[in-house]
Amino acid sequence: MYDGPIIDAHHHFWDLSMGKHPWLTNTSDGIDALGSLEKIRHDFMVEQFLDVIGDTPIVASVHIEALWDANDTLGETAWLDTLDKSSGLATRYVGNAALGTKDAADLLKAQAENPRMTGIRGILSNHPTLDLSFASDPYLGYDPAWRSDVAAIHALGLNLELMVYSYQAGIVQDLAHSFPDMTIVINHCASPIDRDAAGMARWRAALATMASCENVVIKTSNASHYDPDWSEESLAAIVHDCLAVFGAHRCIFGTDYPVSSLKLDYPTIMDFAMRATQHLSASEQSAYFHDNAKRVYKFD
C-alpha cells in the first residue's frame, strides 16, 4: 500500500463562535441531503485537524469554502490567512464568489489577488427530490450570468470547482467544451446519491460523460456520505469506478473532513483509501494521493 506523502485536497475549517456558518449553527438552516449535523456542530480548526490526522503523512492541504456567510464572502479568505500554516494545512484555498450575482465580478477579482487562492466553487447539485438539492435551479449551469462569471474565473487563471449530482453531467460536459483550457474539479465522486440500481447506473454514465472531457478531474472526497449501508467493499467500489473511468492521473484524494466524520473518522478514511488503491502501480498511487493535487492546486 502507498506510504508516501499525501495532500488532503478537500477539507473545511470553522469557528462557530464567529457566527459565519448558519447552516451549522441554526438547526432550521440544515441541508436535508446531509442529514443530521449534530456530530459536526463544533469548532474545527488547525489543532483539531492535527489531532485527527495523527501520524498520517499529510504534507499539505486544500481548504474548500465552507458555506460561509454569503454576505461576507471575502471574510473567509481573510480569516484563513490568519491561521497557522507551519504544518502545511490550508496552504491553498478554493473560495466562493456567489456566481451569477451582480457582485461576483468584483469578488472574483479580489479572491484571485490572494496567492493561495486556486479556484472558485460553484454548487449545481439539483435533485428531482427538491429536499435533496443544494441548488434550487436545475438549469443554473446554463444561466448566462453564471456562465459569464465562469468565464471570469477562467480569465483570472483559477480552477472551477463543482458540486454536482449525476443529473448535471451534461452541464459539466458543456462547460468543459466551452472552456477547454480551464481545469474543472468535480467534488465528492460526483455525489452518488441515488443508491438503487438505476441510480448507480445513471451515476456511472455521468462519470463517463464528464470524463470524456480531458480538462475535467474528480476528487474521491467523502465516498461514504450517500451510502446508507457503507462497507469497505462499497466504498472501494465507488473509488474503483472513479479510477477506472477517469484514470489515476485525473483522480485526486481528499477527505471532506470534518463533514465526512458524520460517518467515518480520519484513520478509517485513510485505511479504506489505502486498501482501495493498493491495486494501482506506485506511480499511480503517488499521482492519486499527492502529485495530481500538487499540479491542480498549484503547490510549489
Side-chain angles (χ1 to χ4, degrees), residues 16 26 34 57 65 79 85 116 123 126-127 157 168 174 218 220 230 261:
L16 298 187
N26 300 334
L34 293 177
E65 62 91 15
W79 173 70
K85 308 294 183 185
R116 299 188 188 277
I123 296 180
N126 177 272
H127 193 277
Q168 287 78 55
D174 187 68
I218 194 165
T220 60
W230 64 267
S261 70

Side-chain angles (χ1 to χ4, degrees), residues 161-181:
E161 196 106 357
L162 290 176
M163 260 182 61
V164 299
Y165 289 138
S166 59
Y167 305 97
Q168 287 78 55
I171 295 175
V172 174
Q173 184 182 54
D174 187 68
L175 283 166
H177 288 162
S178 298
F179 303 97
D181 299 324

Side-chain angles (χ1 to χ4, degrees), residues 170-297:
I171 295 175
V172 174
Q173 184 182 54
D174 187 68
L175 283 166
H177 288 162
S178 298
F179 303 97
D181 299 324
M182 179 172 62
T183 298
I184 298 175
V185 185
I186 303 302
N187 291 181
H188 309 329
C189 311
S191 303
I193 190 170
D194 299 321
R195 306 301 295 199
D196 60 357
M200 293 306 290
R202 183 168 52 248
W203 171 74
R204 293 185 187 96
L207 289 184
T209 295
M210 295 184 287
S212 68
C213 308
E214 289 296 324
N215 55 324
V216 178
V217 301
I218 194 165
K219 276 193 291 196
T220 60
S221 44
N222 207 348
S224 68
H225 187 76
Y226 297 111
D227 187 349
D229 301 311
W230 64 267
S231 65
E232 181 173 346
E233 291 73 22
S234 69
L235 299 188
I238 295 294
V239 174
H240 288 168
D241 282 340
C242 291
L243 286 165
V245 175
F246 278 85
H249 293 279
R250 283 202 288 153
C251 287
I252 298 174
F253 172 76
T255 63
D256 194 26
Y257 220 80
V259 177
S260 54
S261 70
L262 290 169
K263 290 197 172 181
L264 304 176
D265 61 26
Y266 207 88
T268 303
I269 292 170
M270 294 307 310
D271 183 60
F272 283 0
M274 296 296 180
R275 294 180 184 279
T277 55
Q278 61 185 331
H279 66 290
L280 299 177
S281 69
S283 64
E284 289 172 331
Q285 289 175 335
S286 182
Y288 172 70
F289 282 106
H290 179 271
D291 302 346
N292 297 341
K294 181 179 179 180
R295 179 185 73 252
V296 168
Y297 293 103

